[in-house]
């Protein structure tokens, strides 16, 4: 295996330390840049750092962007496109693919233009206009903030009342508490069914096979209760292009090629017997999805990223069964409370009962004198993964590994993967979405 030089760039929060660590463990040279001052220590002791990513451009064989954000502004897609024009191999988006995440209305227009049916939705820049719309069109809606504040995941609200009364109450509360930060919001009709994300790696010209199908667990507590978080865990499997892929991401293959997109792209959907309802794009790595994906790679991660960025027919061999990832968190996650964090979580030691580190992936973690410690200010130190021939076997592997980790005050969901076992898998198969694509 030829040694490559990889530059990983977090131009906002530090998200990609684990991927950088994996590539380094495979023998490649790695440098990691973190823009956010509060996150600078994340990854210390695991990967070499740089204070100036632009000074390393000529050094790098491959440049990897971990998100669409440059501070509070969308912008890595423009940087990636410029670097490609300069002849660099880049894993990253374009201005238009960045917009898929930042502008939900635009994302729905792109899907519609390429023959994908979408859920009824409207965007509002004024709270009172949105309130009047719900009053005049009572129904259960999903409230999705727009812009930078959409990353505050607990602001996403899924309505339950048929007359929309709970959505009206939430919009009035948001106007008072968040009106100064929300540049707008989308109201989307709520759809019942199985939530599944279709995810593929794109090499600038085409999707790489196999395709990934994953199931997010966003609520804080087991049973899908509590505030929305970025993610508490993920279950997944890989498959060839099937009907679900061809009806969603597959329809955008030509558009993504025109854009020259390179990287992972994910389209979250609600699927039921009557059809597919796309919800939102993630035109970048998902977290902790990428940790689970790399755990299931049988191909070397560094070689795959290199070939993906260069568009040289990347080969991807993966684990053929099922996989789950569980995020371990600490107080006050998912909320911001510096006092609670300082008292309970800052610099907390991470202790292992075994020398094995199989399935252990770092998030907000650093290593000091050989000791793993919690880093940053978000309280998300680890992701623990498991694979198996069945979803239950994958669950048992992951939770057995968690039992070997000691972190004071940790908490996590103990039901990741159960939805598939309890019926989501049977429903998707019965509805015909997981059969082979044409």
């Amino acid at each position: 295996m030829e040694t490559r030089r990889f530059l990983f760039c977090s131009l906002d929060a530090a998200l990609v330390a684990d991927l950088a660590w994996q590539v380094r463990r495979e023998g490649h040279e790695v440098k990691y840049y973190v823009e956010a001052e509060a996150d600078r220590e994340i990854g210390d002791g695991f990967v070499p750092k740089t204070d100036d990513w632009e000074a390393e451009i000529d050094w790098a064989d491959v440049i990897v962007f971990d998100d669409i954000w440059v501070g509070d502004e969308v912008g890595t897609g423009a940087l990636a496109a410029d670097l490609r024009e300069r002849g660099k191999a880049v894993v990253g988006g374009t201005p238009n693919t960045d917009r898929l995440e930042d502008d939900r209305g635009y994302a729905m227009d792109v899907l519609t233009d390429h023959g994908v049916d979408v859920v009824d939705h409207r965007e509002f820049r004024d709270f009172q206009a949105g309130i009047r719309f719900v009053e005049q069109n009572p129904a259960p809606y999903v409230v999705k903030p727009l812009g930078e504040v959409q990353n505050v995941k607990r602001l996403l609200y899924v309505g339950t009342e048929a007359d929309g009364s709970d959505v009206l109450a939430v919009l009035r509360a948001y106007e008072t508490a968040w009106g100064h930060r929300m540049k707008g919001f989308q109201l989307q009709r709520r759809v019942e069914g199985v939530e599944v994300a279709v995810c593929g790696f794109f090499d600038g010209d085409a999707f790489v096979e196999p395709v990934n199908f994953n199931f997010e667990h966003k609520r804080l507590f087991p049973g899908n209760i509590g505030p929305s978080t970025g993610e508490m865990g993920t279950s997944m499997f890989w498959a060839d292009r099937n009907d679900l892929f061809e009806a969603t991401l597959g329809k955008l293959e030509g558009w993504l090629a025109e854009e020259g997109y390179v990287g992972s792209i994910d389209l979250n959907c609600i699927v039921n017997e009557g059809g597919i309802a796309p919800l939102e794009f993630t035109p970048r790595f998902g977290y902790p999805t990428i940790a689970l994906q790399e755990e299931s790679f049988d191909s070397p991660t560094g070689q795959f990223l290199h070939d993906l960025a260069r568009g040289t027919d990347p080969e991807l061999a993966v684990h053929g069964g099922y996989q789950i990832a569980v995020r371990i968190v600490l107080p006050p996650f998912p909320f911001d409370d510096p006092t609670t964090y300082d008292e309970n979580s800052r610099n907390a030691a991470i202790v292992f009962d075994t020398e094995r580190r199989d399935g252990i992936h770092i998030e907000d973690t650093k290593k000091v004198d050989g000791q793993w410690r919690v880093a940053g200010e978000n309280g998300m130190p680890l992701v623990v993964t498991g694979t198996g021939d069945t979803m239950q076997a994958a669950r048992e592997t992951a939770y057995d590994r968690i039992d070997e980790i000691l972190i004071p005050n940790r908490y996590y969901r103990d039901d990741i993967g159960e939805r598939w076992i309890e019926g989501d898998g049977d429903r998707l198969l019965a509805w015909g979405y997981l059969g082979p694509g044409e």
Side-chain angles (χ1 to χ4, degrees):
M1 178 188 68
E2 185 176 351
T3 299
R4 314 287 187 180
R5 296 189 295 269
F6 287 81
L7 175 61
F8 290 86
C9 300
S10 293
L11 302 189
D12 185 32
L15 299 172
V16 76
D18 187 71
L19 190 62
W21 183 39
Q22 173 62 28
V23 171
R24 188 188 186 210
R25 283 182 292 172
E26 292 176 356
H28 300 285
E29 294 183 54
V30 168
K31 294 183 181 180
Y32 182 30
Y33 174 80
V34 179
E35 173 65 29
E37 185 174 353
D39 287 357
R40 294 270 169 85
E41 64 179 1
I42 291 173
D44 283 359
F46 291 95
V47 291
K49 299 287 193 63
T50 177
D51 293 329
D52 185 350
W53 73 273
E54 292 178 290
E56 309 293 348
I57 289 173
D58 290 338
W59 169 85
D61 294 317
V62 180
I63 301 167
V64 180
F65 292 104
D66 68 352
D67 203 350
I68 69 170
W69 296 96
V70 181
D72 293 336
E73 302 294 330
V74 173
T76 59
L79 293 171
D82 178 66
L83 288 167
R84 288 190 196 103
E85 286 290 323
R86 294 163 56 182
K88 300 302 294 184
V90 183
V91 176
T94 73
N96 282 336
T97 61
D98 282 0
R99 194 178 171 193
L100 292 174
E101 182 170 1
D102 183 51
D103 185 340
R104 298 180 189 275
Y106 171 76
M108 295 299 108
D109 289 343
V110 169
L111 287 167
T112 300
D113 290 345
H114 291 85
V116 181
D117 293 333
V118 300
V119 180
D120 290 341
H121 63 279
R122 290 200 179 194
E123 286 190 7
F124 298 90
R125 305 289 168 174
D126 175 77
F127 279 92
Q128 288 302 313
I131 289 169
R132 286 193 297 272
F133 176 81
V134 177
E135 289 175 336
Q136 295 166 9
N137 302 273
Y141 293 94
V142 180
V143 180
K144 297 185 174 184
L146 301 177
E148 182 267 338
V149 77
Q150 70 183 284
N151 288 330
V152 184
K153 298 299 185 184
R154 63 183 179 274
L155 294 181
L156 184 145
Y157 180 75
V158 180
T160 59
E161 301 296 330
D163 62 358
S165 57
D166 57 335
V167 171
L168 290 171
V170 166
L171 289 177
R172 292 180 178 120
Y174 282 3
E175 182 177 25
T176 301
W178 291 91
H180 63 295
R181 286 186 61 189
M182 273 194 194
K183 75 176 187 180
F185 57 92
Q186 183 187 87
L187 291 178
Q188 189 178 74
R189 282 293 294 267
R190 179 178 176 179
V191 179
E192 298 290 342
V194 175
E195 185 173 353
V196 54
V198 184
C199 180
F201 286 95
F202 200 84
D203 70 357
D205 293 311
F207 280 104
V208 178
E209 292 189 65
V211 180
N212 182 259
F213 298 87
N214 61 80
F215 304 83
E216 300 175 345
H217 298 65
K218 292 183 178 180
R219 297 285 181 176
L220 181 61
F221 300 118
N224 222 31
I225 298 169
S228 287
T229 68
E231 181 80 7
M232 288 302 292
T234 305
S235 59
M236 69 170 56
F237 63 90
W238 300 80
D240 294 332
R241 295 177 181 235
N242 56 28
D243 292 342
L244 182 53
F245 170 82
E246 296 295 357
T248 53
L249 279 186
K251 291 183 178 293
L252 299 185
E253 192 160 28
W255 183 79
L256 290 168
E258 291 174 2
E259 286 292 314
Y261 181 80
V262 176
S264 170
I265 184 165
D266 175 304
L267 180 59
N268 200 29
C269 306
I270 294 288
V271 175
N272 57 36
E273 193 170 9
I276 303 166
L279 301 178
E280 59 189 3
F281 281 98
T282 304
R284 52 172 174 81
F285 298 128
Y287 304 95
T289 306
I290 185 58
L292 185 54
Q293 289 170 330
E294 70 179 75
E295 179 71 18
S296 62
F297 285 179
D298 289 334
S299 302
T301 301
Q303 186 66 47
F304 175 69
L305 291 176
H306 175 270
D307 293 345
L308 190 75
R310 294 193 173 275
T312 54
D313 194 21
E315 295 183 4
L316 181 59
V318 298
H319 176 261
Y322 297 83
Q323 305 88 37
I324 77 160
V326 183
R327 178 173 267 162
I328 297 178
V329 299
L330 296 169
F333 182 88
F335 303 105
D336 298 321
D337 184 342
T339 300
T340 298
Y341 183 78
D342 287 344
E343 291 176 352
N344 295 277
S345 306
R346 187 177 298 279
N347 287 316
I350 302 170
V351 179
F352 297 91
D353 281 347
T354 175
E355 293 299 318
R356 296 191 306 273
R357 299 293 181 268
D358 298 336
I360 309 300
H361 299 264
I362 61 171
E363 286 201 297
D364 297 351
T365 311
K366 61 186 176 182
K367 186 160 52 175
V368 181
D369 297 327
Q371 171 69 64
W372 290 32
R373 291 189 173 274
V374 176
E377 298 183 343
N378 297 309
M380 302 185 300
L382 297 178
V383 171
V384 180
T385 62
T387 63
D389 291 336
T390 64
M391 192 70 81
Q392 182 58 34
R395 281 175 41 79
E396 290 171 1
T397 299
Y399 287 110
D400 284 347
R401 289 169 173 170
I402 290 174
D403 288 341
E404 297 176 339
I405 302 170
L406 281 173
I407 312 175
N409 303 312
R410 70 177 186 176
Y411 46 103
Y412 56 89
R413 281 184 60 162
D414 63 2
D415 65 343
I416 307 302
E418 283 186 356
R419 293 203 311 255
W420 175 269
I421 297 168
E422 293 173 354
D424 279 3
D426 291 339
R427 283 188 283 272
L428 289 172
L429 289 167
W431 295 332
Y433 293 113
L434 298 185
E438 295 180 359

